[in-house]
Amino acid sequence: QSVSDPGLRLFCPEETAARLFWKERCPYELSVRNGHRMRLVFLGFGMLGERLLTYALQDNIFDPGQRIEYHLFGGGAEFVAVHTGLSAIGDPVIVHDEPWYESLPLVEGAQMVIVLNQEGQLKLVRDLLLATTAPLLHVFSAGEAGLELLAGQERLRLFYWERKAWDPAHIFSDVMFDRARAINLRYAHLYGGVEENRQNEEQEWSRLDGFTRYSNVSAADYHEVRLHMMAVLGWPADGERLAPEQMELLAELEHIRWCRYHYLNSWKHGVPENGARKDPARRLHADLLPYRELTEAEKQKDRDNIKVLLSVR
């Protein structure tokens, strides 16, 4: 978001791996089975944990009343301190100072345990298998020798993050950005009468600042989760065919995602002094409210957003 050139996209392998992980191992069905009450444990943090948590909070949005707790062992205090809007997100992020083995009941009862430590990983996995019996262990492996020998364990799920992130198919893929540009152009067409063609798509994209560009990227990324949920539920992927209660749920979840994107960038609710809806300099937005507190006009915008997102392929 800090890069001003709209044509420049920086490659971050940790970010790519985080996005792929939550798409490949989307915990939607797991969340449903647990009544949308889950505890996810991160062992280790660093850049991998930062990216994984950032995308988790934007992608793992399944129900308005959900409570997904993210428990961090081995780091995360700086991330929580810097992201001042985290407290406004309904899913709590909890940093533990103690080592994981001093909180075995928590680890044992977690729905997902994600191993991010890259050093001493084999010993850590062995200790986890020995100390616990219930949770599945998702290991971000860079190919440490010996882990393959444990891969037959029913509770072990290896995720070869470096191999996946450095795959040219992902490095050069523009699917997510193409969808984000298409979404932005569709809004420009609907609200500004801009003709939908390739030239205007690039022109409208170039006008956006980094924050707004990545807001569209966030919407495009979560849309894959939305389509997965709708497929599981057997709902039509057509905004005009959705039942009113289906549309209302999708609109509320999209509003939650939009709020979380702003909260992760340290925005907060507030009414600017000039009466506008938002103040980018002070990071205030009048619509950073629970869905039920929005005006009917603002709710309709979220419903229209769902129709737009479902119409963009």
Side-chain angles (χ1 to χ4, degrees), residues 56-67:
L57 291 170
Q58 294 178 87
D59 285 352
N60 295 341
I61 304 172
F62 309 129
D63 185 84
Q66 73 181 39
R67 182 181 173 86

Side-chain angles (χ1 to χ4, degrees), residues 62-253:
F62 309 129
D63 185 84
Q66 73 181 39
R67 182 181 173 86
I68 300 177
E69 299 177 0
Y70 296 90
H71 293 265
L72 314 181
F73 289 88
E78 181 178 351
F79 179 91
V80 171
V82 169
H83 291 78
T84 58
L86 277 181
S87 60
I89 294 178
D91 293 338
V93 177
I94 302 162
V95 178
H96 293 263
D97 294 327
E98 77 278 11
W100 65 271
Y101 48 80
E102 291 184 5
S103 294
L104 279 179
L106 169 66
V107 177
E108 181 73 35
Q111 278 67 44
M112 291 180 72
V113 174
I114 304 172
V115 177
L116 299 170
N117 293 72
Q118 298 299 291
E119 296 183 7
Q121 197 173 76
L122 178 59
K123 181 180 184 304
L124 173 57
V125 171
R126 286 203 314 255
D127 289 347
L128 281 164
L129 290 170
L130 180 63
T132 64
T133 61
L136 286 177
L137 307 179
H138 299 266
V139 182
F140 272 65
S141 172
E144 181 176 344
L147 273 177
E148 291 82 359
L149 299 177
L150 300 177
Q153 292 275 351
E154 292 182 359
R155 293 170 49 215
L156 199 59
R157 303 288 186 272
L158 300 184
F159 184 78
Y160 294 100
W161 72 273
E162 284 191 335
R163 183 188 307 170
K164 291 176 179 290
W166 288 101
D167 187 329
H170 299 305
I171 294 176
F172 296 107
S173 173
D174 276 327
V175 172
M176 182 176 63
F177 280 84
D178 284 345
R179 184 179 291 130
R181 285 192 287 263
I183 291 170
N184 182 61
L185 180 61
R186 180 62 55 83
Y187 288 136
H189 172 71
L190 292 174
Y191 302 118
V194 177
E195 183 180 350
E196 292 185 274
N197 56 49
R198 186 65 179 176
Q199 181 179 353
N200 286 340
E201 182 176 274
E202 293 299 329
Q203 185 174 353
E204 292 298 319
W205 187 254
S206 68
R207 292 176 177 174
L208 303 179
D209 57 32
F211 175 81
T212 308
R213 283 201 300 270
Y214 261 81
S215 179
N216 283 296
V217 169
S218 174
D221 193 60
Y222 178 68
H223 188 55
E224 295 183 33
V225 178
R226 178 185 296 110
L227 292 175
H228 173 77
M229 292 167 52
M230 294 174 72
V232 171
L233 293 167
W235 293 2
D238 181 347
E240 301 299 333
R241 295 171 54 207
L242 287 168
E245 62 274 14
Q246 295 171 341
M247 173 61 77
E248 203 66 7
L249 174 60
L250 295 177
E252 183 168 3
L253 295 180

